[in-house]
Amino acid sequence: MSNVGCRIFMKINRPSKELVEGFRGIPVANIADEMNRFSCVDARIKPYNDKPLLGTAFTVKARVADNLLLHKALELAQPGDVIILDAQGDTANAITGEIMMTQAAVNGLAGVVIDGAIRDAAQMQELDMPVYAAGVQPKGPYKDGPGEINVPVSCGGVVVHPGDIVVGDTDGIVIISPKDAPETLKKAKAKLAKEQAIIQGIKDRVPRDKSWVDKALEKVGCEYIDDVYK
């Protein structure tokens, strides 16, 4: 029988590398817009360097203040994986720091996202791998377990499944189910192209039709007062 709360699933259904790579260079905001503003990780989980994040989710569920399962995840995760660690948002203890994250980078991981705290924040800026976390705390972790690997986890209010596509930039992180990814990718590319055209038009001083603004204000009954506020 399965030992719920202390188990490791050794296999992941990863999407094709071609599908994952399709999202490279597309802003998270464009992807999120085409997912109806869902599946974005909470803003409290921030990047600690400027490296772009793109890969497949390798999930870890840890006990608060404990990183035993993260040590095991570093042995098992494959190049291109993004470790998503659910530490229940607790920031009383750092779950990881420079040594483990250096190992993750050397192993070819695509990134690490901690719904909890890290330490050695200055050193994270020098890593050639993106690291996101909910906070910084010098106090270190314990290594007792239990925990789980490659089960659904919660990260910043989003349920993440092993093999989900993870995209992150300086705005934040979005999680994409592989089954939704082809259509989402198509729409996000179109959204990006449309916005790039709009921005170029603004730079070229091409007039824009903003009549929808007045229509929206009229709809909510906005009142115009030809006087100063008293």
Side-chain angles (χ1 to χ4, degrees), residues 26 30 75 135 142 151-152 161:
I26 301 180
N30 290 146
E75 294 180 19
Y142 301 96
V151 299
H161 293 84

Side-chain angles (χ1 to χ4, degrees), residues 20-32:
V20 176
E21 282 297 316
F23 287 94
R24 190 170 297 281
I26 301 180
V28 168
N30 290 146
I31 301 169

Side-chain angles (χ1 to χ4, degrees), residues 98-147:
E98 181 184 11
I99 292 175
M100 294 179 74
M101 293 300 93
T102 299
Q103 186 66 66
V106 169
N107 288 356
L109 298 192
V112 176
V113 180
I114 307 287
D115 194 349
I118 59 169
R119 62 183 179 180
D120 305 323
Q123 288 72 28
M124 298 301 170
Q125 297 177 28
E126 306 303 319
L127 280 180
D128 191 26
M129 180 193 75
V131 175
Y132 287 72
V136 178
Q137 167 62 253
K139 185 169 57 176
Y142 301 96
K143 298 171 174 60
D144 305 315

Side-chain angles (χ1 to χ4, degrees), residues 210-224:
K210 299 297 293 290
S211 60
W212 64 268
V213 176
D214 287 331
K215 291 178 181 177
L217 290 171
E218 182 181 359
K219 185 176 180 179
V220 296
C222 182
E223 181 183 4
Y224 292 84

Side-chain angles (χ1 to χ4, degrees), residues 191-208 210:
K191 177 76 170 181
L192 174 59
K194 180 180 179 180
E195 289 194 354
Q196 288 174 332
I198 290 172
I199 291 170
Q200 187 59 51
I202 292 172
K203 292 178 178 179
D204 293 340
R205 300 183 182 278
V206 176
R208 296 180 65 201
K210 299 297 293 290

